[in-house]
Amino acid sequence: MRNTITTNINGRDVTISDVPPDQMALAWLRAEGFISVKEGCGEGDCGACTVALGVPTADGLDWRAVASCLLFLPMLDGRAVLTAEGLKGPNGNPHPVQQAMADGFGTQCGFCSPGFTMSLFALAHHDRLDDQAIYDSLAGNLCRCTGYRPIIEVARALPNLAADPGEAAVAERLRAAAGAALFYCADGLSFFAPTDLREALAYRSAHPDAWILAGGTDLGLAVTKRHQRPEVMLSLARVPELTRITDNHGSLTIGAAVPYAEILSVISTRHPELAKLLRRVGATQVRNQGTFGGNLGNASPIGDSLPALIALGATIDIAAPDGLRTVAAQDFVTGYRKTQLAADELIAAVHLPDLPPGELFRAYKVAKRVDQDISTVSASFRLRLENGKVAAIAAAFGGVAARPVRAHRLEAALQGLPWTAASLAGAQAALAEDIAPQDDLRGTAGYRRKVATNLVTRLWHETTNPTEFPVSLDRL
């Protein structure tokens, strides 16, 4: 095991020790003089802290825009980091992305510009540069003075960037240096990043109160906003069994620590409606870190992923020292912030089945903003119609009870009936018995009931008059 963090910052190999493991990469970078990295919201919403994180691959580095305010410092181990200071060429000339921002009037006061530049740098290293990719890439970067039009025009004109000739060597050095598990201790706190599931389970058994990190996008807020200090952290980001996607020809097995961005790249054609929902999970910077495992383990009643997984009939693998067990997604969360996980268990994977022929799936999220907002109410439906009647239906809701719920009474009220407005009215009455919303800052219980009912109506409209239903509502 190692007790030092090995990284590469702006092309220079760096070893870090004696820095508390609960310090965020943002704070450390600024203290080291990389002041292009700004502190804005401190919760991954504004993009001012965006850096490019280089993940070693067989060919070099896969550059991803991430929110450094949500990145625990030890999560830089085995990774390269690029800030705006590191973009300039050997002769000091601006990087092509920096030059394009200047020439295209994409910067004014300059506070947000480094974050935009790093998002565009990461975007330009990937093949897809259409408007949807650009909007997705910039949704997590806020600008108050320049406005988005010139920045979007800069993005449209960007060429695909080739890998730097030295990246393959950097990737190889990082792999060699970070091949062993990391056990990093400083200031009385510890951070363990194993490279084997058995090691992870043994550590979990020995430290049942450890914070379990997959992407850290939620637990990071516990530090930056609630000022908590974890004595022990267990990171799953380097466990091979938890970081891969397997195609089973009829289903996908998605490791608990696979980032949403990687999940999206696989399911966009296979589950396009689910992909629409996942594109609204945070912004690109958050989706490059956040995971199914983290979202499920958080057990929030308004978590985005679980209602969809319930409606799709997904199952969840739970790893324990004595082997795996599998539970239905609808049974995983047992109460408010409570799950089926025992003190020595970890979420291992999600099994996501393909839609059977003849069935359709819809996932809706109602929030105050389209991008980067927590759900007020969400609903997911899987439906099969035969001869105008409901042959099969599964419905799940979030934000309407202490945990995401499957609407069994709604399903029973529709099963076998004609898919008509009259049947819909009876089902909506049954839905009132499935849910138990409460008042909070995002909406009253009455509002949540009304929204849940309206989402059933939306499903009916979309499946009976799809050409008449407003396309713009796809983003609501």
Side-chain angles (χ1 to χ4, degrees):
M1 291 188 187
R2 298 171 295 114
N3 192 27
T4 56
I5 299 166
T6 301
T7 183
N8 181 284
I9 310 291
N10 293 341
R12 181 173 62 91
D13 292 343
V14 176
T15 300
I16 303 170
S17 60
D18 299 325
V19 180
D22 65 340
Q23 185 170 132
M24 295 297 157
L26 166 63
W28 183 84
L29 286 167
R30 288 188 59 81
E32 291 294 308
F34 302 104
I35 57 174
S36 71
V37 187
K38 309 297 185 186
E39 182 170 6
C41 66
E43 53 191 45
D45 281 344
C46 74
C49 72
T50 301
V51 299
L53 190 71
V55 179
T57 67
D59 302 320
L61 295 170
D62 177 19
W63 291 108
R64 307 172 182 180
V66 298
S68 61
C69 71
L70 297 179
L71 204 64
F72 289 92
L73 187 61
M75 296 173 79
L76 301 186
D77 183 63
R79 305 289 187 254
V81 178
L82 200 61
T83 71
E85 290 93 342
L87 287 181
K88 63 184 178 182
N91 57 3
N93 289 338
H95 187 276
V97 176
Q98 293 173 312
Q99 191 64 56
M101 283 285 282
D103 293 343
F105 305 100
T107 180
Q108 192 165 323
C109 82
F111 186 87
C112 70
S113 303
F116 271 100
T117 301
M118 299 317 300
S119 288
L120 292 176
F121 169 86
L123 173 67
H125 277 80
H126 296 85
D127 292 335
R128 185 170 163 239
L129 279 172
D130 57 28
D131 277 0
Q132 184 62 62
I134 291 169
Y135 298 155
D136 283 348
S137 176
L138 298 182
N141 296 81
L142 300 184
C143 177
R144 289 190 168 213
C145 51
T146 302
Y148 288 90
R149 181 190 56 77
I151 299 173
I152 290 172
E153 290 177 355
V154 167
R156 286 170 175 160
L158 285 178
N160 283 115
L161 296 178
D164 186 278
E167 287 184 8
V170 171
E172 183 57 36
R173 291 199 304 272
L174 288 171
R175 275 195 297 268
L182 174 69
F183 187 69
Y184 180 77
C185 300
D187 198 29
L189 309 178
S190 62
F191 182 103
F192 182 46
T195 56
D196 178 88
L197 181 57
R198 288 173 298 178
E199 290 180 333
L201 288 168
Y203 196 78
R204 165 75 161 146
S205 297
H207 301 87
D209 294 327
W211 286 20
I212 302 172
L213 296 178
T217 55
D218 187 70
L219 291 179
L221 296 177
V223 173
T224 62
K225 297 301 180 181
R226 297 192 289 274
H227 309 293
Q228 298 177 12
R229 299 203 74 192
E231 292 185 8
V232 180
M233 287 184 278
L234 169 61
S235 171
L236 306 179
R238 303 283 288 282
V239 178
E241 297 94 328
L242 309 185
T243 54
R244 57 187 174 222
I245 299 177
T246 304
D247 188 341
N248 306 309
H249 304 291
S251 67
L252 293 171
T253 299
I254 302 171
V258 176
Y260 282 117
E262 291 184 33
I263 299 171
L264 268 170
S265 69
V266 173
I267 69 167
S268 291
T269 56
R270 202 157 176 166
H271 282 287
E273 294 295 323
L274 178 59
K276 288 181 185 179
L277 175 69
L278 295 189
R279 281 193 181 94
R280 296 183 62 191
V281 175
T284 294
Q285 293 93 323
V286 172
R287 292 194 296 272
N288 278 330
Q289 296 173 228
T291 65
F292 269 162
N295 194 242
L296 294 171
N298 187 34
S300 169
I302 52 173
D304 287 316
S305 63
L306 190 52
L309 296 177
I310 291 172
L312 285 167
T315 57
I316 298 169
D317 277 350
I318 297 174
D322 58 354
L324 288 175
R325 63 187 179 97
T326 301
V327 300
Q330 67 185 38
D331 299 325
F332 178 72
V333 176
T334 58
Y336 181 73
R337 304 282 185 177
K338 296 179 179 179
T339 72
Q340 285 211 26
L341 285 179
D344 60 350
E345 293 180 325
L346 295 168
I347 302 170
V350 170
H351 294 288
L352 183 64
D354 291 347
L355 271 179
E359 293 195 357
L360 61 85
F361 174 74
R362 293 290 186 272
Y364 307 130
K365 173 178 175 176
V366 176
K368 293 185 178 181
R369 300 190 306 270
V370 171
D371 294 306
Q372 288 186 262
D373 200 12
I374 298 171
S375 297
T376 301
V377 175
S378 63
S380 292
F381 304 94
R382 180 166 49 89
L383 176 69
R384 185 172 80 251
L385 300 175
E386 294 179 357
N387 300 318
K389 295 184 178 181
V390 178
I393 185 170
F397 291 81
V400 293
R403 63 185 181 95
V405 296
R406 182 164 179 179
H408 291 289
R409 292 179 178 86
L410 167 71
E411 295 171 2
L414 286 171
Q415 187 67 42
L417 293 184
W419 188 228
T420 63
S423 300
L424 191 71
Q428 289 170 328
L431 176 62
E433 301 300 316
D434 283 314
I435 62 178
Q438 296 181 346
D439 296 341
D440 66 16
L441 294 176
R442 280 177 291 274
T444 65
Y447 172 75
R448 292 174 187 273
R449 286 186 181 277
K450 185 63 176 177
V451 169
T453 300
N454 287 349
L455 291 179
V456 182
T457 304
R458 177 178 175 179
L459 174 71
W460 181 78
H461 277 291
E462 284 193 0
T463 53
T464 53
N465 300 294
T467 60
E468 298 177 13
F469 202 73
V471 175
S472 62
L473 288 184
D474 283 345
R475 289 184 57 79
L476 291 181

